[in-house]
Amino acid sequence: MAKEILAAQNLIKHFGSGDALVRAVDGVSLKVNKGDLVLIKGPSGSGKTTLLSMLGGLLKPTSGTVTLLDRELTGRNEGELASMRSSEIGFVFQAYNLLSAISVAENIVFPARLSGQSMEKARERADHLISRLDLSHRRDARPDRLSGGEKQRVAVARALINDPPIILADEPTGNLDSQRGLEVAMLLQEIAKEDGRAVVIVTHDERIEDIADHILWLEDGRLRDRKAEPHEWARDPVCGMRVDRWVATSSVRYDDKEFVFCSERCREKFLTEPNKYLPAT
Amino acid sequence: MFYWSVKSLLVEKWSVLTAACGIALALLLALYLDAVFRGEAGQIVTFIERTPGDVWVLQDGISDLHMARSRLNENAIYAVRQVEGVAGVTRFLYRDSLIGPNGQEKLAYVVGIPSAPEARSAWERATGWTAPTPGHVVLPAPMARAQNLQPGDRVRVGDESFILSGVSRGTYSMANPLIFLDETDARNLFDMGDGANVLLVFARPDTSPSDLAARINREVEKASALAPQALRHNDFNLAMKMGGALIGVLEVMGLAVAGLIVIFTAFVFSSNHQREFAIAKALGAPTKQLAGSALAQTAVVSFLGIVIGALVTYPLEAGLHHWVPGIAVSFSSMTVLVLGTATLGLALLSALLPLRYVLSVDPMLVFQG
Ligand SMILES: Nc1ncnc2c1ncn2[C@@H]1O[C@H](COP(=O)(O)OP(=O)(O)OP(=O)(O)O)[C@@H](O)[C@H]1O
Ligand SMILES: [Mg+2]
């Protein structure tokens, strides 16, 4: 049986209260195994970042649990969480988040300093990662001199420096052109498949879907597994356009059937004269 | 972490340097005033330092030359001469008087230099100052320059008029300029037939000055004997004390300005680096280390400011002597040390304010674009 790295049980995160209550994540359970590459997708504001930051011990859930390598994150204090973040989780962000004052090589070893590792070992690992990620010619450069793709490769190297069992990435290709985006995606796949790490990626990027083992669809803070049936096509009865049921934003139940529409306009048209659009039976 | 925080400072070397210079300036402000008073006090005591002799004798109960209240009569002088171990005495007149043309008089201390040729020449050799002959006066150089007086010009001292014969250096302070007359002229001016204001006693080779001072104090009722260092110490401290309140206020102000600069810099710096702190936090930097690195940054900036301040002090002293010779300034290493330490302490204290801001940075910032 595949080794379980990360698990979440009924995770809930609510912001605010009363009328302003936002159910950013609303009862999510998931498991990520060694070597798994899991995508989390969903419309903007569906709670992807909120979920990822709870998985990474950056945000305390309102309720529910997160378990990393059989150790529960929930209920730990700030110091313990920080130490787990530095040594057991690798983060990759859309905005790269490199430290601007220090060189590529120093950025890469930064988490090793935090986790109190032997610096000699860390430097060896950094050298290895620098050549693996094709950054040798850039090792002494400051981050502001790098291209986007290079920056993200530095961020990936930094995420790997402490040899964490899991990588969490929020829109890692979001700021990159399609070529560089693809390279970073392939890199993350390699990290999952060859290194045997668990990799969780939040993304809007369609092209990454092909390399994923699982795609989780998050909507209004709730999850659906979509890998089995990536799309469920239906026809908009008004205009006849093909619409994916999983993503459709307007729908209506009529006559015990669910109809989906390409737009709110079509839905309104349908509601004024349903019979006109009903398929002949 | 420390490496990172110092590097972050280097990236912004201009703002760091500006802040450090601000701190240096605030420190210098406080140091400068102290130096002015110290310089003044130094000039006040040069006469004591240079005039040769082993023991100073003043009127009983008086232990400094301030306001020149000392008066020794012939009986007391005779009694001092009789003390065992006394090789000789020189009498000086030393009193305050007004100097300058009517309506523009200034207060000055008038020293009457002994008329006896051996005593005069011994004094001239030891001090390097020229003693005035009867009818002549020697003024401090800045005073002569301020009144545009040349040798040969007439100068009013009290109710009499004298001819300027030369200038002395190192005896000018704004509060207490020292001018020199011949003993006879000084006696006439002060209407003092006999006695003296101050005696300088020379000890026999087999008698130590401190023993001699103790003996004079024991045996001569109406006299107070002091070693030269003791008298110098008393006069110096008295002069400093007069400026004490003012120096204190300015020092506190200087420190407050330095503190404000530190708070401001640290605040600007931490808000500029909010994202970087968030990154470090997200990657797992412990709060303690973050606090430490923010404090280290403040410490480096403040320390730099203090070093700049201290380094500028000495060239500034030389420059001021050159450009503004009328104001004697004398920076004290001790004051630099004390004020420097106080500034550093205050800086770290001030850094605690923005520190709270650094610590409350939300690591979730890393998810924003
Ligand atoms: N600190 C917060 N306070 C209040 N509401 C928040 C907070 N953080 C997130 N939210 C809300 O929670 C919901 C989910 O936000 P989240 O950032 O997780 O969405 P997302 O799926 O990552 O969106 P995007 O694709 O745009 O990045 C949104 O409605 C958002 O406005
Ligand atoms: Mg997001």
Side-chain angles (χ1 to χ4, degrees), chain A residues 19 27 70 165 179:
Chain A
D19 282 350
D70 299 326
Q179 181 57 34

Side-chain angles (χ1 to χ4, degrees), chain B residues 14-87:
Chain B
W14 291 115
S15 50
V16 167
L17 212 63
T18 312
C21 285
I23 294 170
L25 213 64
L27 180 64
L28 273 178
L29 180 79
L31 282 176
Y32 175 73
L33 200 83
D34 182 78
V36 167
F37 276 89
R38 217 164 266 288
E40 281 271 298
Q43 301 267 312
I44 289 172
V45 297
T46 2
F47 171 67
I48 300 171
E49 283 169 349
R50 294 208 196 161
T51 299
D54 298 316
V55 178
W56 288 75
V57 181
L58 309 173
Q59 182 185 324
D60 189 28
I62 293 179
S63 54
D64 57 71
L65 289 180
H66 181 59
M67 298 306 286
R69 293 149 303 161
S70 169
R71 176 82 200 259
L72 294 160
N73 61 26
E74 286 301 328
N75 286 343
I77 297 172
Y78 179 79
V80 171
R81 275 186 196 285
Q82 301 312 306
V83 173
E84 199 193 324
V86 172

Side-chain angles (χ1 to χ4, degrees), chain B residues 95-336:
Chain B
R95 275 192 47 181
D96 53 285
S97 172
L98 292 175
I99 170 166
N102 275 334
Q104 292 176 40
E105 294 99 338
K106 276 201 69 174
L107 189 75
Y109 286 95
V110 175
V111 184
I113 307 297
S115 302
E118 329 77 75
R120 285 178 83 81
S121 52
W123 184 80
E124 284 188 328
R125 270 198 310 281
T127 57
W129 293 322
T130 325
T133 45
H136 291 88
V137 64
V138 170
L139 299 184
M143 203 175 188
R145 182 153 5 100
Q147 296 181 29
N148 204 14
L149 293 169
Q150 308 295 332
D153 288 351
R154 300 205 77 87
V155 182
R156 244 183 113 75
V157 182
D159 292 331
E160 317 264 337
S161 166
F162 297 90
I163 293 167
L164 181 68
S165 66
V167 294
S168 68
R169 297 187 191 276
T171 57
Y172 180 76
S173 64
M174 285 178 287
N176 294 16
L178 219 58
I179 70 173
F180 301 104
L181 290 179
D182 173 73
E183 183 185 347
T184 332
D185 287 342
R187 279 196 193 283
N188 289 336
L189 188 70
F190 299 142
D191 219 357
M192 211 169 116
D194 56 11
N197 298 111
V198 177
L199 279 191
L200 257 161
V201 175
F202 295 86
R204 287 218 170 89
D206 57 350
T207 309
S208 85
S210 55
D211 285 352
L212 188 56
R215 209 175 292 152
I216 295 172
N217 276 329
R218 234 181 0 256
E219 293 179 12
V220 186
E221 226 174 85
K222 293 208 166 109
S224 140
L226 291 115
Q229 307 90 299
L231 182 64
R232 181 200 178 280
H233 181 257
N234 291 350
D235 264 40
F236 191 87
N237 284 0
L238 202 69
M240 285 303 283
K241 218 183 277 168
M242 289 188 281
L246 189 56
I247 297 174
V249 168
L250 264 261
E251 280 176 359
V252 167
M253 272 165 60
L255 287 181
V257 171
L260 283 176
I261 293 172
V262 170
I263 293 178
F264 182 75
T265 317
F267 207 79
V268 168
F269 203 83
S270 33
S271 55
N272 281 350
H273 289 75
Q274 205 182 9
R275 190 178 187 94
E276 307 245 312
F277 281 115
I279 296 171
K281 248 189 197 179
L283 295 180
T287 313
K288 263 190 219 145
Q289 281 193 26
L290 277 179
S293 89
L295 275 182
Q297 287 177 337
T298 314
V300 168
V301 176
S302 318
F303 189 72
L304 195 68
I306 291 161
V307 168
I308 294 175
L311 286 182
V312 166
T313 300
Y314 298 98
L316 183 71
E317 183 174 9
L320 285 172
H321 281 312
H322 185 75
W323 300 113
V324 207
I327 304 176
V329 290
S330 159
F331 288 96
S332 134
S333 307
M334 193 60 199
T335 316
V336 173

Side-chain angles (χ1 to χ4, degrees), chain A residues 43-50 94 170-171 202 204, chain B residues 367-368:
Chain A
S44 186
S46 57
K48 305 183 293 295
T49 297
T50 308
Q94 175 169 11
D170 192 21
E171 303 276 7
V202 164
H204 280 119
Chain B
F367 292 108
Q368 286 164 22

